Coordinates of all heavy atoms in Angstrom, one line a residue:
V399 N 132.1 35.7 30.5 CA 130.7 36.0 30.8 C 130.4 37.4 30.8 O 129.5 37.9 31.5 CB 130.3 35.3 32.2 CG1 130.4 33.8 32.1 CG2 131.3 35.7 33.3
L400 N 131.1 38.2 30.0 CA 131.0 39.7 30.0 C 129.6 40.1 29.4 O 129.2 39.4 28.3 CB 132.1 40.3 29.2 CG 132.5 41.7 29.4 CD1 133.0 41.9 30.8 CD2 133.6 42.0 28.4
R401 N 128.9 40.9 30.0 CA 127.6 41.4 29.5 C 127.9 42.5 28.5 O 128.4 43.6 28.9 CB 126.9 41.9 30.7 CG 125.4 42.1 30.4 CD 124.7 42.3 31.7 NE 123.3 42.5 31.5 CZ 122.5 42.6 32.5 NH1 122.9 42.6 33.8 NH2 121.2 42.7 32.3
T402 N 127.5 42.4 27.3 CA 127.8 43.3 26.3 C 126.5 43.8 25.6 O 126.5 44.5 24.6 CB 128.7 42.7 25.1 OG1 128.1 41.6 24.7 CG2 130.1 42.5 25.7
D403 N 125.3 43.6 26.2 CA 124.1 44.0 25.6 C 123.8 45.4 26.0 O 124.5 46.0 26.9 CB 122.9 43.1 25.9 CG 122.7 43.0 27.4 OD1 122.5 44.0 28.1 OD2 122.7 41.8 27.9
S404 N 122.7 46.0 25.5 CA 122.5 47.4 25.7 C 121.9 47.7 27.1 O 121.6 48.9 27.4 CB 121.5 48.0 24.5 OG 120.3 47.3 24.6
T405 N 121.6 46.8 27.8 CA 121.1 47.0 29.2 C 122.1 47.9 30.1 O 121.7 48.4 31.1 CB 120.8 45.7 30.0 OG1 122.0 44.9 30.0 CG2 119.7 45.0 29.4
T406 N 123.4 47.9 29.7 CA 124.3 48.7 30.4 C 124.5 50.0 29.8 O 125.5 50.7 30.2 CB 125.7 47.9 30.6 OG1 126.1 47.7 29.2 CG2 125.5 46.6 31.2
L407 N 123.8 50.5 28.9 CA 123.9 51.8 28.3 C 123.9 52.9 29.3 O 123.0 53.0 30.1 CB 122.7 52.0 27.3 CG 122.9 53.2 26.4 CD1 124.1 53.2 25.5 CD2 121.6 53.5 25.6
A408 N 125.0 53.7 29.3 CA 125.1 54.9 30.2 C 125.2 54.4 31.7 O 124.8 55.2 32.6 CB 124.0 55.9 30.0
H409 N 125.6 53.2 31.9 CA 125.8 52.8 33.3 C 127.4 53.1 33.6 O 128.2 53.0 32.7 CB 125.8 51.2 33.4 CG 124.3 50.8 33.6 ND1 123.9 49.7 34.1 CD2 123.1 51.5 33.1 CE1 122.6 49.6 34.1 NE2 122.1 50.6 33.4
F410 N 127.6 53.5 34.8 CA 129.0 53.8 35.2 C 129.3 53.0 36.5 O 128.4 52.6 37.2 CB 129.2 55.3 35.4 CG 129.0 56.0 34.1 CD1 127.9 56.5 33.7 CD2 130.2 56.2 33.3 CE1 127.7 57.1 32.5 CE2 130.1 56.8 32.1 CZ 128.8 57.2 31.7
K411 N 130.6 52.8 36.8 CA 131.0 52.0 37.9 C 130.4 52.6 39.2 O 130.5 53.8 39.4 CB 132.5 51.9 37.9 CG 132.9 50.8 38.9 CD 134.4 50.4 38.6 CE 135.3 51.6 39.0 NZ 136.6 51.4 38.5
V412 N 130.0 51.7 40.0 CA 129.6 52.1 41.4 C 130.9 52.4 42.1 O 131.6 51.5 42.4 CB 128.8 51.0 42.1 CG1 128.5 51.4 43.5 CG2 127.6 50.6 41.3
P413 N 131.1 53.7 42.4 CA 132.5 54.0 43.1 C 132.6 53.5 44.4 O 131.6 53.4 45.2 CB 132.6 55.5 42.9 CG 131.2 56.0 42.8 CD 130.4 54.9 42.2
S414 N 133.8 53.2 44.9 CA 134.0 52.9 46.3 C 133.7 54.2 47.1 O 133.9 55.4 46.6 CB 135.5 52.6 46.5 OG 135.8 52.7 47.9
L415 N 133.2 54.1 48.3 CA 132.9 55.3 49.1 C 133.9 55.4 50.2 O 133.9 56.3 51.1 CB 131.5 55.2 49.7 CG 130.4 55.2 48.7 CD1 129.0 55.2 49.4 CD2 130.4 56.3 47.6
R416 N 135.0 54.6 50.2 CA 136.0 54.8 51.1 C 136.7 56.1 51.0 O 136.9 56.5 49.8 CB 137.1 53.7 50.9 CG 136.7 52.3 51.4 CD 136.9 52.2 53.0 NE 136.2 51.1 53.5 CZ 136.3 50.8 54.8 NH1 136.9 51.5 55.6 NH2 135.6 49.7 55.3
E417 N 137.0 56.8 52.0 CA 137.7 58.1 51.8 C 136.8 59.2 51.1 O 137.4 60.2 50.6 CB 139.0 58.0 51.3 CG 140.0 57.0 51.9 CD 140.4 57.5 53.4 OE1 140.7 58.6 53.6 OE2 140.4 56.6 54.2
V418 N 135.6 58.9 50.9 CA 134.7 59.7 50.0 C 134.8 61.2 50.4 O 134.7 62.1 49.6 CB 133.4 59.2 49.8 CG1 132.5 59.3 51.0 CG2 132.7 59.6 48.5
A419 N 134.8 61.5 51.7 CA 134.7 62.9 52.2 C 135.9 63.7 51.7 O 135.8 65.0 51.6 CB 134.7 63.0 53.7
A420 N 137.0 63.0 51.3 CA 138.2 63.7 50.9 C 138.4 63.8 49.4 O 139.4 64.3 48.8 CB 139.4 63.1 51.5

Side-chain angles (χ1 to χ4, degrees):
V399 292
L400 203 61
R401 189 169 185 175
T402 51
D403 59 51
S404 62
T405 53
T406 60
L407 187 66
H409 284 205
F410 293 90
K411 194 165 63 192
V412 177
S414 165
L415 300 184
R416 286 277 167 183
E417 305 292 319
V418 73

